[in-house]
Protein backbone atom coordinates (compact mmCIF):
# COMPACT_ATOMS: atom_id res chain seq x y z
CA UNK A 1 0.00 0.00 0.00
CA UNK A 2 1.22 3.58 -0.54
CA UNK A 3 2.55 5.80 2.21
CA UNK A 4 -0.05 7.68 4.27
CA UNK A 5 -0.05 10.34 6.92
CA UNK A 6 3.33 11.57 8.05
CA UNK A 7 5.29 8.56 6.84
CA UNK A 8 7.95 9.60 4.38
CA UNK A 9 10.01 7.53 2.05
CA UNK A 10 13.47 7.00 3.53
CA UNK A 11 16.48 8.02 1.56
CA UNK A 12 18.86 5.23 0.60
CA UNK A 13 21.64 4.80 3.08
CA UNK A 14 25.21 4.79 1.87
CA UNK A 15 26.52 1.35 1.14
CA UNK A 16 29.95 1.98 2.61
CA UNK A 17 29.69 3.43 6.08
CA UNK A 18 33.06 2.47 7.49
CA UNK A 19 36.57 2.29 6.22
CA UNK A 20 37.51 -1.36 5.82
CA UNK A 21 40.27 -2.86 7.91
CA UNK A 22 42.20 -6.08 7.64
CA UNK A 23 39.43 -7.73 9.71
CA UNK A 24 36.64 -6.38 7.50
CA UNK A 25 36.45 -8.42 4.31
CA UNK A 26 33.50 -8.42 1.92
CA UNK A 27 32.07 -11.82 1.03
CA UNK A 28 32.33 -13.19 -2.48
CA UNK A 29 29.86 -15.57 -4.12
CA UNK A 30 31.27 -18.79 -2.55
CA UNK A 31 31.14 -17.49 1.03
CA UNK A 32 27.75 -15.81 0.50
CA UNK A 33 26.41 -19.14 -0.81
CA UNK A 34 27.98 -20.95 2.16
CA UNK A 35 26.28 -18.46 4.50
CA UNK A 36 22.88 -19.30 3.01
CA UNK A 37 23.50 -23.05 3.04
CA UNK A 38 25.03 -22.98 6.51
CA UNK A 39 22.05 -21.12 7.97
CA UNK A 40 19.49 -23.37 6.28
CA UNK A 41 21.31 -26.61 7.11
CA UNK A 42 21.68 -26.49 10.87
CA UNK A 43 20.75 -29.47 12.99
CA UNK A 44 17.45 -30.28 11.34
CA UNK A 45 18.86 -32.57 8.65
CA UNK A 46 20.11 -34.95 11.32
CA UNK A 47 16.61 -35.44 12.78
CA UNK A 48 14.20 -34.81 9.91
CA UNK A 49 13.98 -38.33 8.42
CA UNK A 50 12.80 -39.83 11.72
CA UNK A 51 10.53 -36.86 12.43
CA UNK A 52 8.53 -37.26 9.23
CA UNK A 53 8.71 -41.08 9.03
CA UNK A 54 5.40 -41.55 10.93
CA UNK A 55 3.59 -39.92 8.00
CA UNK A 56 5.12 -42.31 5.46
CA UNK A 57 6.86 -41.57 2.21
CA UNK A 58 4.17 -39.00 1.38
CA UNK A 59 6.36 -36.66 3.44
CA UNK A 60 8.64 -36.50 0.39
CA UNK A 61 5.81 -34.66 -1.36
CA UNK A 62 5.93 -32.08 1.44
CA UNK A 63 9.66 -31.75 0.79
CA UNK A 64 8.90 -30.97 -2.84
CA UNK A 65 6.25 -28.37 -2.05
CA UNK A 66 8.47 -26.69 0.53
CA UNK A 67 11.39 -26.65 -1.87
CA UNK A 68 9.38 -24.97 -4.62
CA UNK A 69 8.15 -22.36 -2.13
CA UNK A 70 11.63 -21.77 -0.74
CA UNK A 71 13.10 -21.34 -4.23
CA UNK A 72 10.34 -18.85 -5.11
CA UNK A 73 11.13 -16.92 -1.93
CA UNK A 74 14.84 -17.05 -2.74
CA UNK A 75 14.23 -15.66 -6.23
CA UNK A 76 12.16 -12.80 -4.82
CA UNK A 77 14.92 -11.93 -2.35
CA UNK A 78 17.38 -12.00 -5.22
CA UNK A 79 15.25 -9.55 -7.24
CA UNK A 80 14.86 -7.22 -4.25
CA UNK A 81 18.55 -7.36 -3.33
CA UNK A 82 19.51 -6.40 -6.88
CA UNK A 83 17.65 -3.11 -6.48
CA UNK A 84 18.35 -2.55 -2.76
CA UNK A 85 21.87 -3.91 -2.11
CA UNK A 86 21.98 -2.77 1.52
CA UNK A 87 22.51 -4.56 4.81
CA UNK A 88 19.16 -5.43 6.41
CA UNK A 89 17.37 -7.54 3.80
CA UNK A 90 13.61 -7.78 4.46
CA UNK A 91 13.78 -4.74 6.75
CA UNK A 92 15.11 -2.58 3.91
CA UNK A 93 12.49 -3.79 1.43
CA UNK A 94 9.55 -3.38 3.83
CA UNK A 95 10.65 0.12 4.83
CA UNK A 96 11.22 1.24 1.24
CA UNK A 97 7.70 0.12 0.30
CA UNK A 98 5.57 0.80 3.36
CA UNK A 99 7.48 3.15 5.64
CA UNK A 100 9.08 3.07 9.05
CA UNK A 101 6.51 1.01 10.95
CA UNK A 102 6.53 -1.89 8.49
CA UNK A 103 10.31 -1.77 8.40
CA UNK A 104 10.47 -1.88 12.17
CA UNK A 105 8.11 -4.88 12.38
CA UNK A 106 10.25 -6.76 9.85
CA UNK A 107 13.42 -5.95 11.77
CA UNK A 108 11.95 -6.66 15.22
CA UNK A 109 10.40 -10.01 14.31
CA UNK A 110 13.47 -11.17 12.43
CA UNK A 111 15.70 -10.18 15.33
CA UNK A 112 13.60 -12.34 17.69
CA UNK A 113 13.91 -15.21 15.24
CA UNK A 114 17.70 -15.06 15.19
CA UNK A 115 18.49 -15.16 18.90
CA UNK A 116 15.75 -17.65 19.83
CA UNK A 117 16.99 -19.89 17.01
CA UNK A 118 20.52 -19.62 18.40
CA UNK A 119 19.31 -20.89 21.78
CA UNK A 120 17.54 -23.81 20.10
CA UNK A 121 20.60 -24.72 18.03
CA UNK A 122 22.83 -24.66 21.10
CA UNK A 123 20.55 -27.00 23.04
CA UNK A 124 20.38 -29.37 20.03
CA UNK A 125 24.18 -29.29 19.65
CA UNK A 126 24.62 -30.33 23.29
CA UNK A 127 22.42 -33.34 22.60
CA UNK A 128 24.89 -34.53 19.96
CA UNK A 129 27.86 -33.57 22.12
CA UNK A 130 26.55 -36.00 24.73
CA UNK A 131 27.32 -38.85 22.33
CA UNK A 132 31.01 -37.92 22.49
CA UNK A 133 31.24 -36.60 26.07
CA UNK A 134 28.45 -37.85 28.33
CA UNK A 135 27.40 -34.71 30.20
CA UNK A 136 23.63 -34.95 30.52
CA UNK A 137 24.02 -36.42 33.99
CA UNK A 138 25.23 -33.03 35.18
CA UNK A 139 23.01 -29.98 34.75
CA UNK A 140 25.96 -27.69 35.43
CA UNK A 141 28.16 -29.12 32.67
CA UNK A 142 25.20 -29.27 30.28
CA UNK A 143 24.66 -25.53 30.75
CA UNK A 144 28.39 -24.85 30.41
CA UNK A 145 28.48 -26.80 27.14
CA UNK A 146 25.42 -25.02 25.74
CA UNK A 147 26.83 -21.60 26.59
CA UNK A 148 30.23 -22.53 25.12
CA UNK A 149 28.55 -23.58 21.88
CA UNK A 150 26.86 -20.17 21.70
CA UNK A 151 29.81 -17.98 22.66
CA UNK A 152 32.41 -19.55 20.36
CA UNK A 153 30.59 -18.35 17.18
CA UNK A 154 29.96 -15.01 18.90
CA UNK A 155 33.70 -14.59 19.48
CA UNK A 156 34.36 -15.45 15.82
CA UNK A 157 31.92 -12.68 14.85
CA UNK A 158 33.53 -10.19 17.22
CA UNK A 159 36.91 -10.98 15.63
CA UNK A 160 35.58 -9.53 12.37
CA UNK A 161 33.69 -10.47 9.20
CA UNK A 162 36.93 -11.86 7.78
CA UNK A 163 36.79 -14.67 10.34
CA UNK A 164 33.01 -15.10 10.04
CA UNK A 165 33.40 -15.91 6.36
CA UNK A 166 36.30 -18.30 6.99
CA UNK A 167 34.43 -20.20 9.72
CA UNK A 168 31.29 -20.37 7.57
CA UNK A 169 33.12 -21.75 4.55
CA UNK A 170 35.10 -24.35 6.56
CA UNK A 171 32.08 -25.54 8.58
CA UNK A 172 29.96 -25.87 5.42
CA UNK A 173 32.62 -27.96 3.69
CA UNK A 174 33.22 -30.19 6.73
CA UNK A 175 29.59 -30.97 7.38
CA UNK A 176 28.97 -31.82 3.74
CA UNK A 177 31.32 -34.82 3.82
CA UNK A 178 29.15 -37.08 6.04
CA UNK A 179 25.92 -35.76 4.56
CA UNK A 180 27.10 -36.56 1.04
CA UNK A 181 28.21 -39.98 2.30
CA UNK A 182 24.64 -40.73 3.35
CA UNK A 183 23.05 -39.08 0.31
CA UNK A 184 25.26 -40.85 -2.27
CA UNK A 185 25.98 -44.06 -0.36
CA UNK A 186 22.30 -44.58 0.23
CA UNK A 187 21.75 -44.98 -3.51
CA UNK A 188 23.92 -48.11 -3.51
CA UNK A 189 22.34 -49.65 -0.40
CA UNK A 190 18.76 -48.61 -1.12
CA UNK A 191 16.07 -51.26 -0.55
CA UNK A 192 12.47 -50.46 -1.49
CA UNK A 193 11.18 -52.84 1.22
CA UNK A 194 12.42 -50.39 3.86
CA UNK A 195 10.21 -47.55 2.64
CA UNK A 196 7.05 -48.57 4.44
CA UNK A 197 3.56 -47.36 3.44
CA UNK A 198 3.00 -44.25 1.36
CA UNK A 199 0.52 -42.90 3.92
CA UNK A 200 1.33 -44.30 7.35
CA UNK A 201 -0.54 -41.92 9.64
CA UNK A 202 -4.10 -42.61 8.55
CA UNK A 203 -4.65 -38.96 7.67
CA UNK A 204 -5.87 -37.79 4.29
CA UNK A 205 -3.21 -37.10 1.69
CA UNK A 206 -3.59 -33.34 2.13
CA UNK A 207 -3.55 -33.68 5.91
CA UNK A 208 -0.42 -35.85 5.86
CA UNK A 209 1.41 -33.43 3.56
CA UNK A 210 0.44 -30.42 5.68
CA UNK A 211 1.35 -32.15 8.96
CA UNK A 212 4.75 -33.30 7.75
CA UNK A 213 5.38 -29.90 6.15
CA UNK A 214 4.74 -28.23 9.52
CA UNK A 215 7.63 -30.24 10.97
CA UNK A 216 9.90 -29.34 8.07
CA UNK A 217 9.16 -25.60 8.08
CA UNK A 218 11.79 -24.52 10.59
CA UNK A 219 14.49 -26.31 8.60
CA UNK A 220 13.99 -24.02 5.61
CA UNK A 221 14.47 -20.76 7.47
CA UNK A 222 17.59 -18.93 6.32
CA UNK A 223 16.90 -18.32 2.63
CA UNK A 224 17.19 -14.58 3.33
CA UNK A 225 20.69 -14.81 4.84
CA UNK A 226 22.63 -13.27 1.94
CA UNK A 227 20.16 -10.40 1.52
CA UNK A 228 20.33 -9.52 5.23
CA UNK A 229 24.13 -9.23 4.93
CA UNK A 230 24.05 -7.59 1.49
CA UNK A 231 26.21 -4.71 2.71
CA UNK A 232 29.03 -7.17 3.39
CA UNK A 233 28.70 -9.03 0.06
CA UNK A 234 30.97 -8.06 -2.81
CA UNK A 235 29.01 -6.92 -5.91
CA UNK A 236 25.67 -7.50 -4.10
CA UNK A 237 23.52 -6.65 -7.14
CA UNK A 238 24.72 -9.89 -8.73
CA UNK A 239 26.01 -12.09 -5.92
CA UNK A 240 23.16 -11.85 -3.40
CA UNK A 241 20.59 -13.24 -5.80
CA UNK A 242 22.91 -15.96 -7.07
CA UNK A 243 24.01 -16.97 -3.58
CA UNK A 244 20.41 -17.08 -2.36
CA UNK A 245 19.19 -19.33 -5.17
CA UNK A 246 22.30 -21.53 -5.21
CA UNK A 247 22.38 -21.94 -1.44
CA UNK A 248 18.66 -22.70 -1.16
CA UNK A 249 18.66 -25.11 -4.09
CA UNK A 250 21.71 -27.05 -2.94
CA UNK A 251 20.43 -27.26 0.65
CA UNK A 252 17.03 -28.51 -0.54
CA UNK A 253 18.66 -31.10 -2.80
CA UNK A 254 20.80 -32.38 0.06
CA UNK A 255 17.76 -32.52 2.37
CA UNK A 256 15.83 -34.59 -0.15
CA UNK A 257 18.67 -36.99 -1.01
CA UNK A 258 19.52 -37.64 2.63
CA UNK A 259 15.90 -38.29 3.55
CA UNK A 260 15.38 -40.66 0.61
CA UNK A 261 18.62 -42.47 1.50
CA UNK A 262 17.59 -42.95 5.13
CA UNK A 263 14.10 -44.09 4.11
CA UNK A 264 15.66 -46.70 1.83
CA UNK A 265 18.35 -48.00 4.21
CA UNK A 266 16.54 -48.09 7.57
CA UNK A 267 13.41 -50.19 8.01
CA UNK A 268 10.34 -48.01 8.54
CA UNK A 269 9.37 -49.53 11.89
CA UNK A 270 12.88 -48.81 13.23
CA UNK A 271 13.08 -45.36 11.69
CA UNK A 272 9.91 -44.16 13.42
CA UNK A 273 11.54 -44.66 16.84
CA UNK A 274 15.09 -43.63 15.87
CA UNK A 275 16.81 -40.82 17.76
CA UNK A 276 19.76 -40.76 15.32
CA UNK A 277 18.43 -41.67 11.85
CA UNK A 278 21.58 -40.79 9.92
CA UNK A 279 23.68 -42.86 12.31
CA UNK A 280 21.34 -45.80 11.81
CA UNK A 281 21.61 -45.32 8.05
CA UNK A 282 25.43 -45.34 8.07
CA UNK A 283 25.47 -48.39 10.34
CA UNK A 284 23.08 -50.19 7.99
CA UNK A 285 25.25 -49.35 4.98
CA UNK A 286 28.67 -50.22 6.37
CA UNK A 287 28.06 -52.16 9.57
CA UNK A 288 29.53 -51.46 12.98
CA UNK A 289 28.65 -48.60 15.33
CA UNK A 290 31.11 -45.93 14.19
CA UNK A 291 28.33 -44.11 12.35
CA UNK A 292 26.92 -42.64 15.54
CA UNK A 293 30.20 -40.95 16.41
CA UNK A 294 30.78 -39.67 12.86
CA UNK A 295 27.30 -38.23 12.57
CA UNK A 296 27.49 -36.65 16.03
CA UNK A 297 30.68 -34.84 15.01
CA UNK A 298 29.07 -33.74 11.75
CA UNK A 299 25.99 -32.49 13.60
CA UNK A 300 28.09 -30.42 16.01
CA UNK A 301 30.10 -28.91 13.14
CA UNK A 302 26.89 -28.22 11.24
CA UNK A 303 25.24 -26.44 14.14
CA UNK A 304 28.35 -24.43 14.99
CA UNK A 305 28.40 -23.23 11.40
CA UNK A 306 24.70 -22.34 11.58
CA UNK A 307 25.26 -20.53 14.88
CA UNK A 308 28.12 -18.60 13.29
CA UNK A 309 25.88 -17.40 10.47
CA UNK A 310 22.81 -16.70 12.59
CA UNK A 311 24.91 -14.71 15.06
CA UNK A 312 25.96 -12.43 12.22
CA UNK A 313 22.34 -12.02 11.12
CA UNK A 314 21.24 -11.31 14.71
CA UNK A 315 23.46 -8.21 14.62
CA UNK A 316 22.96 -7.06 11.02
CA UNK A 317 19.19 -6.53 11.16
CA UNK A 318 19.08 -4.25 14.25
CA UNK A 319 22.19 -2.49 12.89
CA UNK A 320 20.35 -1.53 9.71
CA UNK A 321 17.26 -0.41 11.67
CA UNK A 322 19.38 1.58 14.15
CA UNK A 323 21.04 3.45 11.26
CA UNK A 324 17.55 4.70 10.38
CA UNK A 325 16.65 5.58 13.97
CA UNK A 326 14.24 2.67 14.47
CA UNK A 327 16.42 0.73 16.94
CA UNK A 328 18.52 2.20 19.77
CA UNK A 329 21.60 3.94 18.39
CA UNK A 330 23.92 1.69 20.38
CA UNK A 331 23.27 -1.06 17.80
CA UNK A 332 25.12 1.00 15.17
CA UNK A 333 28.48 0.51 16.90
CA UNK A 334 30.68 -1.47 14.57
CA UNK A 335 34.19 -2.82 14.96
CA UNK A 336 36.18 -4.92 12.50
CA UNK A 337 33.15 -4.99 10.20
CA UNK A 338 30.84 -6.50 12.85
CA UNK A 339 28.06 -4.72 14.80
CA UNK A 340 29.53 -5.64 18.19
CA UNK A 341 26.66 -4.53 20.40
CA UNK A 342 24.18 -6.49 18.30
CA UNK A 343 26.27 -9.64 18.65
CA UNK A 344 26.67 -9.23 22.41
CA UNK A 345 23.00 -8.46 23.05
CA UNK A 346 21.79 -11.39 20.93
CA UNK A 347 24.17 -13.95 22.45
CA UNK A 348 23.33 -12.72 25.95
CA UNK A 349 19.58 -13.07 25.37
CA UNK A 350 20.07 -16.51 23.83
CA UNK A 351 22.24 -17.54 26.78
CA UNK A 352 19.65 -16.38 29.32
CA UNK A 353 16.94 -18.29 27.46
CA UNK A 354 19.12 -21.41 27.41
CA UNK A 355 19.85 -21.22 31.15
CA UNK A 356 16.16 -20.68 31.85
CA UNK A 357 15.30 -23.73 29.76
CA UNK A 358 17.64 -25.98 31.71
CA UNK A 359 17.05 -24.62 35.22
CA UNK A 360 13.27 -24.22 35.05
CA UNK A 361 12.69 -27.53 33.28
CA UNK A 362 10.53 -25.66 30.79
CA UNK A 363 10.89 -27.96 27.80
CA UNK A 364 7.31 -27.23 26.71
CA UNK A 365 7.83 -23.47 26.89
CA UNK A 366 11.11 -23.73 25.00
CA UNK A 367 9.58 -25.84 22.25
CA UNK A 368 6.80 -23.27 21.92
CA UNK A 369 9.38 -20.52 21.57
CA UNK A 370 11.12 -22.52 18.83
CA UNK A 371 7.81 -22.75 16.97
CA UNK A 372 7.38 -19.01 17.54
CA UNK A 373 10.53 -18.47 15.46
CA UNK A 374 8.75 -20.07 12.51
CA UNK A 375 6.01 -17.45 12.87
CA UNK A 376 8.31 -14.49 13.58
CA UNK A 377 10.45 -15.36 10.55
CA UNK A 378 7.43 -15.31 8.26
CA UNK A 379 6.52 -11.73 9.23
CA UNK A 380 9.51 -10.25 7.35
CA UNK A 381 8.95 -12.82 4.58
CA UNK A 382 5.37 -11.61 4.12
CA UNK A 383 6.38 -7.95 4.27
CA UNK A 384 9.27 -8.44 1.82
CA UNK A 385 7.17 -10.32 -0.73
CA UNK A 386 4.36 -7.77 -0.31
CA UNK A 387 6.94 -5.05 -0.97
CA UNK A 388 7.91 -6.75 -4.22
CA UNK A 389 4.23 -6.93 -5.22
CA UNK A 390 3.88 -3.22 -4.37
CA UNK A 391 6.90 -2.31 -6.50
CA UNK A 392 5.52 -4.34 -9.39
CA UNK A 393 1.99 -2.90 -9.23
CA UNK A 394 3.07 0.70 -8.65
CA UNK A 395 5.02 0.77 -11.90
CA UNK A 396 8.29 1.96 -10.39
CA UNK A 397 10.52 1.53 -13.40
CA UNK A 398 13.80 1.91 -11.52
CA UNK A 399 12.89 -1.11 -9.38
CA UNK A 400 11.15 -3.40 -11.87
CA UNK A 401 12.12 -4.55 -15.33
CA UNK A 402 9.06 -4.19 -17.56
CA UNK A 403 9.50 -7.30 -19.73
CA UNK A 404 9.84 -9.43 -16.61
CA UNK A 405 6.75 -8.05 -14.87
CA UNK A 406 4.54 -11.13 -15.33
CA UNK A 407 7.25 -13.57 -14.26
CA UNK A 408 8.21 -11.53 -11.23
CA UNK A 409 4.56 -11.16 -10.20
CA UNK A 410 4.00 -14.93 -10.33
CA UNK A 411 7.13 -15.47 -8.23
CA UNK A 412 6.10 -12.83 -5.71
CA UNK A 413 2.57 -14.25 -5.34
CA UNK A 414 3.95 -17.78 -4.96
CA UNK A 415 6.41 -16.60 -2.30
CA UNK A 416 3.64 -14.70 -0.48
CA UNK A 417 1.41 -17.80 -0.51
CA UNK A 418 4.31 -19.92 0.72
CA UNK A 419 4.88 -17.50 3.60
CA UNK A 420 1.20 -17.68 4.58
CA UNK A 421 1.48 -21.46 4.59
CA UNK A 422 4.43 -21.15 6.95
CA UNK A 423 2.25 -19.13 9.34
CA UNK A 424 -0.43 -21.83 9.26
CA UNK A 425 2.15 -24.55 9.81
CA UNK A 426 3.49 -22.84 12.94
CA UNK A 427 0.25 -23.68 14.77
CA UNK A 428 -2.22 -21.67 16.83
CA UNK A 429 -0.12 -21.54 20.00
CA UNK A 430 2.95 -20.31 18.16
CA UNK A 431 1.02 -17.63 16.28
CA UNK A 432 -0.57 -16.50 19.55
CA UNK A 433 2.80 -16.24 21.29
CA UNK A 434 4.34 -14.61 18.25
CA UNK A 435 1.69 -11.90 18.12
CA UNK A 436 2.48 -11.08 21.77
CA UNK A 437 6.15 -10.66 20.81
CA UNK A 438 5.09 -8.31 18.00
CA UNK A 439 2.94 -6.22 20.36
CA UNK A 440 5.93 -5.76 22.66
CA UNK A 441 7.76 -4.50 19.58
CA UNK A 442 4.98 -1.97 18.94
CA UNK A 443 5.73 -0.44 22.34
CA UNK A 444 9.43 -0.22 21.47
CA UNK A 445 8.54 1.42 18.16
CA UNK A 446 6.35 3.98 19.94
CA UNK A 447 9.28 4.89 22.16
CA UNK A 448 11.78 5.14 19.28
CA UNK A 449 9.38 7.05 17.01
CA UNK A 450 8.56 9.57 19.77
CA UNK A 451 12.26 10.04 20.49
CA UNK A 452 13.02 10.50 16.80
CA UNK A 453 10.24 13.10 16.41
CA UNK A 454 11.38 14.97 19.55
CA UNK A 455 14.96 15.14 18.25
CA UNK A 456 13.72 16.34 14.85
CA UNK A 457 11.58 18.99 16.55
CA UNK A 458 14.51 20.26 18.60
CA UNK A 459 16.61 20.47 15.45
CA UNK A 460 14.08 22.64 13.61
CA UNK A 461 13.55 25.02 16.57
Amino acid sequence: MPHTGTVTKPAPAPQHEEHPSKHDRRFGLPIATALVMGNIIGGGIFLLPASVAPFGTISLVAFGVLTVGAIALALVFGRLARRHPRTGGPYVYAREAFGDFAGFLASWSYWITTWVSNAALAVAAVGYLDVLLPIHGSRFWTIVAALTVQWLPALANLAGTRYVGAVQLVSTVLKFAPLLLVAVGGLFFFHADNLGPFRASGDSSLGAVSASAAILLFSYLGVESASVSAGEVRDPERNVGRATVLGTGLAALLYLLCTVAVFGTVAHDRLVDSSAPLSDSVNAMFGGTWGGTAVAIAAIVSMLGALNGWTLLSAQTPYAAAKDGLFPAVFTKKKRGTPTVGVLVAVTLASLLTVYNYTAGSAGVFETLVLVTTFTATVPYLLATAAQIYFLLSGQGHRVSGPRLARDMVLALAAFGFSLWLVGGAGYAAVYQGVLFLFVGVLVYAWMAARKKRVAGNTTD
Side-chain angles (χ1 to χ4, degrees):
M1 64 181 189
H3 297 298
T4 58
T6 59
V7 176
T8 57
K9 178 167 276 233
Q15 295 181 28
H16 303 284
E17 291 119 338
E18 293 86 12
H19 297 289
S21 70
K22 66 178 181 179
H23 301 283
D24 184 2
R25 179 176 297 174
R26 300 173 77 78
F27 304 152
L29 179 61
I31 291 180
T33 303
L35 181 67
V36 175
M37 294 186 69
N39 286 352
I40 294 177
I41 303 175
I45 186 61
F46 298 92
L47 298 174
L48 283 178
S51 299
V52 298
F55 300 101
T57 52
I58 196 173
S59 57
L60 298 177
V61 177
F63 259 117
V65 175
L66 283 170
T67 299
V68 171
I71 292 294
L73 196 59
L75 287 169
V76 170
F77 278 126
R79 299 285 191 278
L80 289 166
R82 180 180 290 273
R83 298 172 181 92
H84 304 282
R86 293 173 47 201
T87 294
Y91 156 74
V92 173
Y93 317 141
R95 185 169 182 257
E96 284 287 333
F98 308 123
D100 284 353
F101 185 59
F104 174 83
L105 284 182
S107 180
W108 177 263
S109 57
Y110 192 76
W111 181 60
I112 293 171
T113 301
T114 56
W115 60 263
V116 175
S117 296
N118 282 354
L121 282 169
V123 172
V126 171
Y128 282 99
L129 183 62
D130 190 58
V131 176
L132 307 176
L133 302 170
I135 56 176
H136 273 170
S138 169
R139 177 180 294 179
F140 172 78
W141 287 111
T142 299
I143 293 175
V144 169
L147 295 180
T148 301
V149 166
Q150 289 177 0
W151 279 89
L152 284 177
L155 293 175
N157 274 264
L158 292 173
T161 53
R162 172 182 184 180
Y163 300 101
V164 174
V167 170
Q168 199 64 35
L169 188 59
V170 171
S171 64
T172 300
V173 171
L174 289 179
K175 71 183 174 185
F176 266 162
L179 293 178
L180 288 174
L181 174 65
V182 173
V184 177
L187 299 178
F188 297 94
F189 296 90
F190 187 93
H191 293 287
D193 294 340
N194 291 325
L195 292 177
F198 180 68
R199 250 187 321 118
S201 63
D203 297 329
S204 65
S205 296
L206 180 60
V209 170
S210 298
S212 54
I215 296 175
L216 301 170
L217 296 181
F218 185 76
S219 301
Y220 273 81
L221 301 182
V223 298
E224 72 293 331
S225 303
S227 66
V228 173
S229 298
E232 280 65 50
V233 176
R234 188 165 52 248
D235 191 10
E237 291 87 351
R238 298 182 60 194
N239 286 336
V240 168
R242 292 179 178 181
T244 301
V245 174
L246 279 173
T248 303
L250 290 174
L253 179 62
L254 189 59
Y255 272 169
L256 186 59
L257 288 177
C258 282
T259 302
V260 170
V262 173
F263 276 13
T265 53
V266 181
H268 181 261
D269 56 347
R270 286 186 54 212
L271 183 59
V272 170
D273 298 321
S274 175
S275 60
L278 267 68
S279 293
D280 291 340
S281 178
V282 172
N283 290 339
M285 284 188 276
F286 304 109
T289 59
W290 59 271
T293 300
V295 171
I297 294 172
I300 293 170
V301 171
S302 176
M303 283 181 277
L304 282 174
L307 277 164
N308 181 64
W310 279 106
T311 299
L312 176 64
L313 300 186
S314 70
Q316 297 288 16
T317 299
Y319 168 80
K323 294 291 289 184
D324 295 324
L326 299 182
F327 257 58
V330 70
F331 283 94
T332 62
K333 292 187 177 180
K334 210 171 187 183
K335 187 176 181 181
R336 296 176 175 176
T338 301
T340 53
V341 173
V343 170
L344 290 172
V345 170
V347 73
T348 298
L349 289 172
S351 298
L352 291 173
L353 181 59
T354 302
V355 172
Y356 173 76
N357 174 61
Y358 282 121
T359 56
S362 54
V365 173
F366 190 79
E367 289 169 2
T368 300
L369 288 174
V370 170
L371 284 175
V372 166
T373 63
T374 301
F375 169 75
T376 55
T378 58
V379 173
Y381 288 179
L382 285 167
L383 288 170
T385 52
Q388 173 73 338
I389 293 171
Y390 167 75
F391 293 145
L392 292 167
L393 293 178
S394 62
Q396 299 186 37
H398 64 289
R399 290 187 172 91
V400 180
S401 173
R404 299 176 179 176
L405 178 62
R407 184 193 66 184
D408 284 354
M409 180 60 74
V410 170
L411 282 174
L413 289 173
F416 189 86
F418 174 66
S419 300
L420 280 179
W421 192 36
L422 291 177
V423 173
Y428 293 108
V431 172
Y432 170 76
Q433 297 285 347
V435 169
L436 292 180
F437 273 112
L438 290 183
F439 283 166
V440 172
V442 171
L443 181 62
V444 175
Y445 175 78
W447 168 50
M448 293 302 303
R451 185 173 180 271
K452 187 177 180 181
K453 186 175 182 64
R454 185 171 63 249
V455 171
N458 292 338
T459 302
T460 56
D461 290 343

